[in-house]
Amino acid sequence: MSILESKGLVKRFGATTALDGVTFAIEPGRIVGLLGPNGSGKTTLIKLANGLLVPTAGEIWVDGQAPGKETHAAVSYLPERTSLPLWMTVKELQTFYHDFYADFQVERSEEMLDRLEISPKQRMKQMSKGTREKVQLILTMSRQAKLYLLDEPIGGVDPAARDYILDTIIRNYNPEAAVVISTHLIADIEKVLDEVIFIDRGQILFQSSVDSIREEKGMSVDALFREVYRC
C-alpha cells in the first residue's frame, strides 16, 4: 500500500486553482523531492496531506485513509515557517512533543540538539531564525512517524549545517516510512533523494526515480530542474 497517494486532486481558492487533477503515489521507504518553482502548488499539496486543507475535488490518502484526526498520529509535519511558541524553552518543547505524540523519542532529540550545540535551556525568542528552524526540524524528525512532510527544511539554514541536517533526515526516519521534501534548493538535497515529483502551476509534470533521470537523461536532477523550469 502507498503511504501517500492522490487521484484527480483539485484545490481551488476562489477563482485560483492551486492544484489541478494531481495524481501520484509514494511508497514506504522512499525519500521523495517535491520540486517546483514558487507558487507551483507544493505547500498546498503538503497541507492537504496533513489535513490542514480540504480538497475541492478528487481524493488524497495517507496510509489508506483520508487526512484527518486518524492520520495525524502517522504524519510528522514541518511547516515552511517556524510555528513554535517563542516563549518556550527547547526543554519545554521536548516535553510538549512527548506529551502530545506517543512516538516522540526524547533521547533522539537530545542527541541532535547536542550535536548542533543547542541548549535545552534556551528560549526560542533568544535564537536566530536559522536555529529556530533547526529546533523545529529536530522535533519533527524525533518522531517515529509513517510519513514525514518537510516544507523547505533547509531554506533558512546556513550551508555549513545543511549536510548534518540532511544526514539527520536520512538516519532518523523509519525505513518503513516515507519522507517528502518540498524545496527549491535542488543541488543541496539531490544526494539524499530516491525519487522526484516535478510540479508546476498545480499539475504534476512527471514522477521519476533519481537513478532513471541520471541514466536516461544523462543529467543531474538539478540540471533537469533548470532545463524544465527555464524562464
Side-chain angles (χ1 to χ4, degrees), residues 52-125:
L52 297 174
L53 295 173
V54 177
T56 303
E59 297 176 288
I60 184 167
W61 304 277
V62 173
D63 200 24
Q65 300 182 84
K69 187 165 64 174
E70 295 78 14
T71 64
H72 284 163
V75 177
S76 193
Y77 168 56
L78 178 78
E80 183 178 9
R81 293 179 177 83
T82 307
S83 60
L84 301 174
L86 297 183
W87 57 268
M88 294 184 80
T89 64
V90 175
K91 187 66 177 177
E92 287 169 338
L93 285 166
Q94 288 174 287
T95 300
F96 173 78
Y97 264 68
H98 184 257
D99 290 344
F100 202 77
Y101 298 109
D103 60 2
F104 184 75
Q105 300 179 322
V106 176
E107 288 185 5
R108 178 185 290 183
S109 67
E110 289 175 342
E111 178 188 332
M112 289 188 276
L113 288 166
D114 184 62
R115 176 66 177 78
L116 289 178
E117 299 180 344
I118 299 172
S119 170
K121 298 178 182 178
Q122 196 171 9
R123 294 192 184 277
M124 293 292 285
K125 65 183 179 183

Side-chain angles (χ1 to χ4, degrees), residues 31 112 137 141 150 153-154 164-173 179 181 192:
I31 300 180
M112 289 188 276
L137 177 61
M141 296 309 300
L150 311 179
I154 59 174
Y164 175 74
I165 286 171
L166 291 172
D167 183 58
T168 295
I169 292 170
I170 294 170
R171 288 189 297 108
N172 287 281
Y173 86 99
V179 181
I181 304 175
V192 308

